[in-house]
Amino acid sequence: MFTTVLVANRGEIAVRVIRTLRALGIRSVAVFSDADADARHVREADTAVRIGPPPAAESYLCVDRLLEAARRTGAQAVHPGYGFLAENAAFAQACEDAGLVFIGPPASAIALMGDKIRAKETVKAAGVPVVPGSSGSGLSDDELAAAAREIGMPVLLKPSAGGGGKGMRLTRAESALMDEIAAARREARASFGDDTLLVERWIDRPRHIEIQVLADGHGNVVHLGERECSLQRRHQKIIEEAPSVLLDEKTRAAMGEAAVQAARSCGYRGAGTVEFIVPGGDPSAHYFMEMNTRLQVEHPVTELITGVDLVEWQLRVAAGEPLGFTQDDIALTGHSIEARLCAEDPARGFLPSGGTVLALREPAGEGVRTDSGLSEGTEVSSLYDPMLAKVIVHAPDRPTALRRLRAALAGTVTLGVPTNAGFLRRLLDHPDVVSGDLDTGLVERDAESLVPEGVPEEVYEAAAAVRQARLGPRPDASGWTDPFAVPSGWRLGGEHVPVTHWLRVPGHDPVAHRTRGHARVDADRVTVTVDGLTHTFHRAGTWLGRDGDTWNVLDHDPVEASLGRSAHAGADSLTAPMPGTVTVVKVAVGDEVTAGQGLVVVEAMKMEHVISAPHDGTVAELDVTPGTTVAMDQVLAVVVPKEEQ
């Protein structure tokens, strides 16, 4: 077994790998960019090495710097985690050439399964059913469009070199094909450095089910059951569970055997996942989609129902050990569900968010596990993936697991950074989720109903109570407080005049809130009573949180806001909906544009957002160029309506 392992990743997966390394008595080496100098994974490792400036291309994706860090620290092996270089065959080969053990499959297996086109051909030859789609590599835009028309709309555009939903585009109209192909290429190039695409038939109301496999270097391959990953948004998994309620033992065995054959077909070694798309009405008609040649984000649910530490077995297999069990030894016990906590704001269309974690409370307790890269003071930027942590539960049965996870998410606090915790809690209470009647389109269809409209009255009451407490006098040395100095709105004669506070939550109109006076304000909590109901919030600075939801309630000065408006305010100004980087500018000052025309593309956390013209008019101002870093709500351009010209 190794004595020192370098973890070539960051965030929650680096912390997760370090935990197993510590349990096995192996020295851990973390790497970090300047943006992560004080990150949790850096503090928890035995030693850490700076590998460059914040951009991933100059740090976490820089092979030479990672290998040099391994050399300097005496590491014998490299664990890639997931994302970044985890499925990069050149990196795996570079580790081997440098005398390091890559804790993953051989470079040849990564290259084969990383090319989705070759992967489909290989597993198909091994008898594994595949999704109908385009054939051949390096297809041009016109060839992709022709293949899509031949398959028949709707189709799914997919990057050949990557996974995780990055660059995937569901296209229903032929007229949109060329624009969607261009966008998919841009995202694929940004995420994987390779813009090769393929196109596949879209299966309506599909379920996404994957099989976990383990293979050693001695010819042994086993599967550890399936994971249901159908709850997705924008092709990104957000809730995963094991086992799936859809499969019976016969189907589970058939899919497991297909996954084992797929692993054997590429000479696999280590932990990997074979992903299938399954028609909800006929689970026996499962189709191979791809193989992820790495540890998966959702691996904890498999660990909890099998009792197998997948990271430990990655290490043991990489060190040359045979698997310590056979297929007959694998038993699935109970039910496990995982929720991905992401830096995104459901109230603003799930746009990526950011900020500093001012207060953090992560759930724990019976059957609850949290894998996290967060700590108080963590700066969440737009440079990296939006996933911050995972909340995982295990229970004897699925209903109990659902209840435990809802409660765990309700107890999750990340003040300072908007997350999707409250949205996930409500999703887990959706009737179709409770019944197990899932498909990959469920979240997109019902997302709006799971995001509350407006800001609850009690949020403004709590924010006003905090401001009132700041205005009040402090008791003197004897503990007495002058009642005439308390800003309660009380007047001589007994009349009570409520105090008014102007407040604003980003994304919502400002309000003039009149306090009701029933509140208790503590250092980290505030409790208010509104219409006979008492509500308790966590608080830090201007942030309030409850049941997984958070609000940043700011002071609002209507006079200052009025004076601060520019000549081209409101609907004329196009602002950044999220912190990020401008990747494309499609217009110049003086250009005439039409309503809905895309003008600027902003990328954050590997996601593109097109900024479109709000109306017909002329571009009067353009304040950004490709590569410009922008803050949320920063003005990007101004379009003057035709009637004002």
Side-chain angles (χ1 to χ4, degrees):
M1 180 52 71
F2 315 109
T3 58
T4 303
V5 171
L6 181 141
V7 183
N9 219 296
R10 65 179 297 279
E12 60 88 19
I13 182 53
V15 174
R16 160 71 187 94
V17 174
I18 289 167
R19 184 170 70 238
T20 289
L21 292 174
R22 184 180 300 114
L24 295 176
I26 300 172
R27 179 170 169 263
S28 59
V29 178
V31 294
F32 64 93
S33 71
D34 291 339
D36 284 336
D38 193 39
R40 179 173 169 180
H41 76 279
V42 174
R43 297 198 305 272
E44 294 198 6
D46 294 306
T47 190
V49 181
R50 176 190 178 274
I51 53 170
E58 301 175 48
S59 51
Y60 296 106
L61 293 174
C62 187
V63 173
D64 290 343
R65 293 181 182 180
L66 292 167
L67 297 181
E68 174 61 16
R71 186 195 65 78
R72 289 174 55 193
T73 56
Q76 301 151 303
V78 174
H79 194 300
Y82 37 69
F84 290 136
L85 296 170
E87 292 180 287
N88 187 297
F91 179 54
Q93 188 62 54
C95 288
E96 183 179 337
D97 294 344
L100 297 164
V101 175
F102 179 79
I103 300 174
S108 58
I110 297 175
L112 175 56
M113 286 299 167
D115 182 337
K116 290 184 174 59
I117 297 167
R118 289 177 59 209
K120 287 178 65 176
E121 294 170 350
T122 300
V123 302
K124 184 178 180 180
V128 179
V130 300
V131 181
S134 60
S135 61
S137 184
L139 299 183
S140 68
D141 290 5
D142 289 339
E143 289 170 328
L144 283 167
R149 296 185 187 101
E150 182 178 346
I151 294 167
M153 310 303 286
V155 296
L156 190 64
L157 297 165
K158 298 173 66 174
S160 178
K166 302 295 190 300
M168 289 175 57
R169 296 272 174 157
L170 171 60
T171 309
R172 296 187 179 276
E174 286 189 21
S175 60
L177 268 172
M178 300 310 288
D179 286 343
E180 294 287 15
I181 289 170
R185 286 202 193 278
R186 282 198 305 271
E187 291 182 24
R189 193 181 307 117
S191 298
F192 313 114
D194 184 341
D195 65 1
T196 303
L197 301 178
L198 69 151
V199 60
E200 290 180 344
R201 175 187 298 166
W202 173 254
I203 298 175
D204 275 322
R205 299 184 74 89
R207 294 178 77 134
H208 183 145
I209 296 178
E210 61 191 29
I211 305 291
Q212 176 71 57
V213 296
L214 267 178
D216 62 23
H218 303 272
N220 302 305
V221 186
V222 300
H223 72 84
L224 286 79
E226 81 281 2
R227 296 186 287 255
E228 171 84 60
C229 304
S230 298
L231 292 176
Q232 304 178 9
R233 195 183 58 76
R234 295 174 183 155
H235 306 297
Q236 294 275 358
K237 305 167 190 173
I238 56 177
I239 299 284
E240 301 101 347
E241 60 181 305
S244 169
V245 298
L246 181 68
L247 304 190
D248 56 24
E249 287 300 328
K250 181 179 178 180
T251 307
R252 177 174 295 115
M255 292 182 69
E257 179 58 27
V260 167
Q261 291 305 316
R264 290 189 186 280
S265 73
C266 67
Y268 201 78
R269 184 180 67 240
T273 302
V274 181
E275 304 200 357
F276 294 90
I277 190 165
V278 182
D282 183 13
S284 64
H286 49 271
Y287 300 105
F288 170 89
M289 285 197 301
E290 62 187 20
M291 183 175 187
N292 290 295
T293 55
R294 54 170 168 81
L295 196 67
Q296 288 280 85
V297 172
E298 57 272 23
H299 74 274
V301 296
T302 296
E303 292 184 323
L304 291 176
I305 67 166
T306 62
V308 176
D309 184 325
L310 291 172
V311 174
E312 177 181 347
W313 277 102
Q314 283 188 296
L315 293 161
R316 292 191 181 281
V317 166
E321 295 184 23
L323 293 179
F325 43 82
T326 67
Q327 190 65 60
D328 291 340
D329 296 321
I330 305 298
L332 311 184
T333 304
H335 202 92
S336 181
I337 312 178
E338 171 184 291
R340 300 190 187 192
L341 193 69
C342 295
E344 59 185 18
D345 190 350
R348 300 186 67 166
F350 296 92
L351 290 173
S353 63
T356 301
V357 179
L358 305 175
L360 178 67
R361 178 181 170 186
E362 295 179 327
E366 182 179 358
V368 178
R369 163 179 164 179
T370 300
D371 285 9
S372 170
L374 293 176
S375 56
E376 288 192 0
T378 295
E379 184 70 29
V380 178
S381 75
S382 62
L383 292 166
Y384 309 120
D385 192 271
M387 193 178 71
L388 306 175
K390 303 174 305 194
V391 181
I392 316 106
V393 300
H394 183 237
D397 52 61
R398 189 172 186 267
T400 305
L402 285 168
R403 288 195 300 271
R404 281 185 178 171
L405 187 50
R406 286 195 294 265
L409 290 168
T412 300
V413 177
T414 54
L415 298 186
V417 179
T419 74
N420 60 343
F423 173 82
L424 295 175
R425 178 180 58 80
R426 288 183 287 273
L427 174 60
L428 290 166
D429 206 26
H430 187 289
D432 288 345
V433 174
V434 172
S435 69
D437 184 18
L438 313 175
D439 66 80
T440 58
L442 185 153
V443 176
E444 299 288 1
R445 290 194 302 270
D446 292 351
E448 288 188 11
S449 67
L450 301 171
V451 180
E453 293 185 13
V455 179
E457 176 73 8
E458 60 267 21
V459 173
Y460 290 120
E461 181 68 12
V466 172
R467 286 155 176 78
Q468 282 291 100
R470 291 174 183 165
L471 295 173
R474 296 183 178 180
D476 63 17
S478 67
W480 182 79
T481 301
D482 182 356
F484 289 94
V486 176
S488 63
W490 179 83
R491 297 292 184 271
L492 285 172
E495 181 183 3
H496 179 85
V497 180
V499 179
T500 299
H501 293 271
W502 275 95
L503 303 168
R504 176 177 65 87
V505 173
H508 300 273
D509 293 334
V511 300
H513 182 80
R514 307 186 79 181
T515 60
R516 304 189 185 188
H518 305 290
R520 174 189 173 94
V521 179
D522 297 314
D524 60 352
R525 281 179 173 77
V526 55
T527 300
V528 297
T529 300
V530 175
D531 297 331
L533 297 177
T534 299
H535 308 268
T536 298
F537 295 85
H538 297 273
R539 76 177 188 93
T542 58
W543 288 80
L544 295 168
R546 176 189 64 184
D547 291 339
D549 292 312
T550 60
W551 300 268
N552 185 18
V553 190
L554 305 171
D555 292 314
H556 177 76
D557 187 328
V559 176
E560 181 179 338
S562 176
L563 294 175
R565 290 189 181 123
S566 67
H568 301 293
D572 296 354
S573 295
L574 306 181
T575 59
M578 57 191 181
T581 302
V582 174
T583 57
V584 179
V585 176
K586 300 183 177 183
V587 293
V589 172
D591 285 358
E592 292 189 2
V593 297
T594 57
Q597 179 180 337
L599 309 183
V600 177
V601 178
V602 178
E603 179 186 312
M605 295 178 174
K606 303 179 183 178
M607 170 186 154
E608 282 192 344
H609 189 84
V610 179
I611 312 300
S612 302
H615 41 238
D616 294 351
T618 302
V619 179
E621 296 179 22
L622 186 63
D623 300 329
V624 294
T625 58
T628 301
T629 300
V630 295
M632 184 182 293
D633 296 328
Q634 179 177 329
V635 175
L636 309 177
V638 173
V639 176
V640 178
K642 280 188 175 181
E643 57 268 22
E644 295 183 15
Q645 297 176 27

